[in-house]
Amino acid sequence: YETYGKFANTIASTFSASVKKDAFYAQARHYSSALAASLDGDNVPLTVYHQLIKTVRRYLPLFYRYLELRRRMLKLDELHMYDVYVPLLPESQQKYSYQEAKQTVLQAIHPLGQQYAQILANGLESGWVDVYENKGKTSGAYSSGVDGSAPYMLLNYQENINGVFTLAHEAGHSMHSYFTWHNQPYVYGNYRIFVAEVASTVNENLLVDYLLSKA
């Protein structure tokens, strides 16, 4: 990140102006702080924010242990930022057809209940997913849709374990949207960014547990 250092004064001035702007708006609108103003739109209590910071700090020693393990496994004297992304083990060559991926995900999310599993199973068989790469198709993976329609997942499925996890992740988003749209009036039929990744990462964690139980 040394290039950023060349612009330290510019970055500091920009940051200072941003802080002053946030403080001014918070005071003008009678918030107790700029933080309270920022969290208000998502209806997140200050205690939740501070608890998140506190929890991350509490578990930093575990993260440092992981980084030290990574340094040793890569046989490095010093770990740099780019080393954090280097694979530690050879990538698995096991192939998962899309049909296998669907069945694996449906087995993994079983703890969420029969209703959840049945709705997802029906969705995966009824056009919720654009599965494979295609000419002009956007890269990555997405879940979209609007209130009144079915959720829609755009994948670029590759027959590997990452593809299975991507399906589980996007299915979490789609099911979150599905239940939101079916249980809230239109004006409330969306969810805040603060919770948007909860459903998707829960599905990934369930998939990890399921795969480990079968390993």
Side-chain angles (χ1 to χ4, degrees):
Y1 296 122
E2 64 183 13
T3 300
Y4 283 110
K6 299 173 184 177
F7 302 96
N9 291 338
T10 301
I11 293 170
S13 296
T14 303
F15 179 60
S16 176
S18 179
V19 169
K20 290 175 181 177
K21 179 261 295 180
D22 291 339
F24 171 80
Y25 281 129
Q27 186 177 21
R29 291 166 179 162
H30 306 292
Y31 286 101
S32 60
S33 65
L35 177 61
S38 178
L39 296 176
D40 186 56
D42 289 323
N43 196 27
V44 176
L46 284 168
T47 52
V48 172
Y49 177 91
H50 290 302
Q51 184 61 43
L52 281 171
I53 302 296
K54 184 178 178 181
T55 302
V56 169
R57 286 176 173 163
R58 183 189 311 149
Y59 288 101
L60 278 176
L62 285 176
F63 183 57
Y64 296 150
R65 280 178 57 192
Y66 161 73
L67 292 177
E68 174 58 19
L69 176 64
R70 170 172 280 277
R71 184 193 67 78
R72 294 205 311 268
M73 290 184 70
L74 292 174
K75 296 180 171 61
L76 298 171
D77 294 327
E78 188 176 75
L79 200 68
H80 293 277
M81 192 65 196
Y82 42 78
D83 297 318
V84 174
Y85 301 99
V86 177
L88 292 177
L89 299 168
E91 188 173 340
S92 170
Q93 299 302 310
Q94 184 170 344
K95 299 291 185 182
Y96 296 85
S97 69
Y98 180 64
Q99 194 64 33
E100 290 174 316
K102 286 193 295 185
Q103 293 306 313
T104 301
V105 170
L106 289 172
Q107 289 293 325
I109 54 90
H110 182 74
L112 296 177
Q114 185 175 358
Q115 181 193 26
Y116 186 102
Q118 189 62 58
I119 292 171
L120 179 56
N122 291 340
L124 294 177
E125 298 298 330
S126 61
W128 281 19
V129 191
D130 183 4
V131 181
Y132 297 107
E133 288 183 293
N134 208 343
K135 186 176 181 180
K137 188 177 181 182
T138 301
S139 61
Y142 305 89
S143 175
S144 189
V146 295
D147 195 332
S149 79
Y152 195 60
M153 286 179 258
L154 277 174
L155 304 181
N156 287 278
Y157 186 75
Q158 305 288 320
E159 294 187 337
N160 54 33
I161 191 64
N162 187 56
V164 183
F165 273 92
T166 301
L167 176 61
H169 183 99
E170 298 306 327
H173 284 310
S174 288
M175 291 299 289
H176 192 179
S177 297
Y178 178 93
F179 282 114
T180 301
W181 297 336
H182 282 76
N183 290 280
Q184 297 285 352
Y186 177 81
V187 68
Y188 299 125
N190 208 336
Y191 42 83
R192 296 297 188 179
I193 191 67
F194 186 78
V195 296
E197 295 301 324
V198 174
S200 52
T201 51
V202 165
N203 273 14
E204 288 194 64
N205 287 332
L206 290 173
L207 180 56
V208 168
D209 284 345
Y210 175 76
L211 292 173
L212 286 174
S213 73
K214 300 294 182 182

